[in-house]
Amino acid sequence: MVFRQQSGWSLQRALGAFGAVAGMVAGLITGLSGCASDKPKPTALEPLTAKVVVELLWQSRVDSVEFPLSVGARDDQFAVASTQGKITVMQSKSGQTAWSLDLGVPLQAALGFNGKRAAAITRDNDLVVAELGRVLWRHRLPSKSTTAPVVAGGRVFVMTVNRVVHAFDADSGHKLWTLDKPGDALTLAQAGVVSTFENSLLVGQGPRLTALDPDTGAVRWEAAIANPRGANEVERLADLVGPSSRSGEIVCARAFQSAVGCVNAKRGQLLWSRNSGGWQSVAGNGSVLVGADASDRMTGWKTQTGEALWNQEKLLYRKLSGFVMSPSSVAVGDSEGRVHWLDPVSGELIARAETDGSAIETPPVVMSGVLLVVTRKGGLFAFRAP
């Protein structure tokens, strides 16, 4: 079963339950449903004098995006997908369509993109890989996935909800290997961590960032970003939330409602971990890492040490998306379709822009100085990233 509690301040935003804990989670649903109407109201926005110029370069639209779908960015192109199954690849600076493909079936996870090929997963658990407007191959997965595939190094990597990792040949669709490690009874029903670092595949396995050999799936190292404690599986749930943030050799991620931490991916060594409740991804550069807790209180940490630099409370309870770091700012969307820019050094709000009034749930994406946000209504808004 899948447990979803829509209140941003709740202990669990989205859980997938497996095995004998189903009854326990069902009881929690009953207990939490009565307090849904008591959730805090979004903080009213204060008038803002922009400190930087934000320019809307272009806007477009895809079909509605009914749940967070990742945006691919590579080689000056954005790749987006709608829930109903249309894939569109467009030029980042102009919004001009390079190619598109309507798969004709709804999606549940998308979109992996390497500048040439795009990969998505349908609600029927079919992994579909396409190139230049045509389907190359399909493969039926054994279980559901809510994490966008990764297309890299001539392979396609997929992580299913139970955190099993699969690798496929990108040309033929032939399965190369599967990593199925014993895991926790509960896992998140939201996107996990799957990314690349040099010649390693980085995946989230519970609260651990794990490096795999992309050729064989063998584990190279593991680093625990959180050490969850609790009396039951719900309290101990601390899956890593995707996407992760990378700055050179440093990869940082959030462990669901538990901690934020950074790992030196070259050495497989945990650099630091700080207790931090929250459920959305973090973003940073070599100096500052930015994230928000479950009440949308934003914090900046030093990337190298985890020392807290600032806290920002002017966007409390606005159901923020994950963050993205622009050249000199950090951007985040909210549930009313606004994009907010902050100074990453001070945490000061420096700009704000409107879209179409519907929620921005997917972290914005930056490519070649262009920041793209996707709204729940399917609106695409490209800004020149300050």
Side-chain angles (χ1 to χ4, degrees), residues 138-347:
R138 299 172 183 258
H139 184 94
R140 177 63 56 90
L141 300 172
S143 58
K144 179 180 177 180
S145 175
T146 54
T147 302
V150 168
V151 185
R155 304 171 183 85
V156 179
F157 303 101
V158 173
M159 184 166 65
T160 52
V161 169
N162 55 1
R163 298 310 183 239
V164 176
V165 184
H166 306 271
F168 302 87
D169 182 273
D171 292 325
S172 66
H174 174 70
K175 181 179 282 192
L176 301 174
W177 52 262
T178 296
L179 175 71
D180 186 358
K181 296 181 63 179
D184 299 322
L186 289 181
T187 57
L188 284 178
Q190 74 180 76
V193 170
V194 182
S195 63
T196 59
F197 173 77
E198 296 184 349
N199 190 34
S200 291
L201 179 71
L202 303 182
V203 299
Q205 298 282 285
R208 299 170 302 280
L209 184 66
T210 302
L212 306 179
D213 183 326
D215 294 325
T216 65
V219 174
R220 289 176 167 165
W221 55 257
E222 291 185 317
I225 287 180
N227 292 292
R229 297 178 177 86
N232 54 56
E233 288 85 351
V234 173
E235 294 178 359
R236 292 191 295 268
L237 179 63
D239 276 8
L240 298 189
V241 174
S244 57
S245 172
R246 176 184 168 187
S247 302
E249 297 180 357
I250 300 178
V251 176
C252 306
R254 172 180 296 285
F256 178 78
Q257 289 292 18
S258 179
V260 168
C262 291
V263 174
N264 184 303
K266 191 81 169 181
R267 302 194 300 265
Q269 176 186 8
L270 178 70
L271 297 178
W272 58 268
S273 177
R274 298 288 181 269
N275 293 335
S276 175
W279 57 273
Q280 286 287 28
S281 59
V282 296
N285 54 28
S287 301
V288 183
L289 183 74
V290 179
D293 65 16
S295 63
D296 293 325
R297 177 181 294 102
M298 297 175 287
T299 299
W301 299 272
K302 286 187 177 180
T303 303
Q304 299 286 339
T305 65
E307 177 186 347
L309 295 172
W310 51 261
N311 289 295
Q312 173 60 266
E313 298 187 351
K314 292 185 177 181
L315 301 180
L316 292 180
Y317 308 113
R318 299 198 66 83
K319 297 182 181 178
L320 300 180
S321 70
F323 293 80
V324 68
M325 191 69 71
S326 301
S328 58
S329 64
V330 60
V332 66
D334 70 17
S335 63
E336 296 177 343
R338 294 183 178 88
V339 187
H340 308 269
W341 282 267
L342 297 89
D343 182 321
V345 176
S346 67

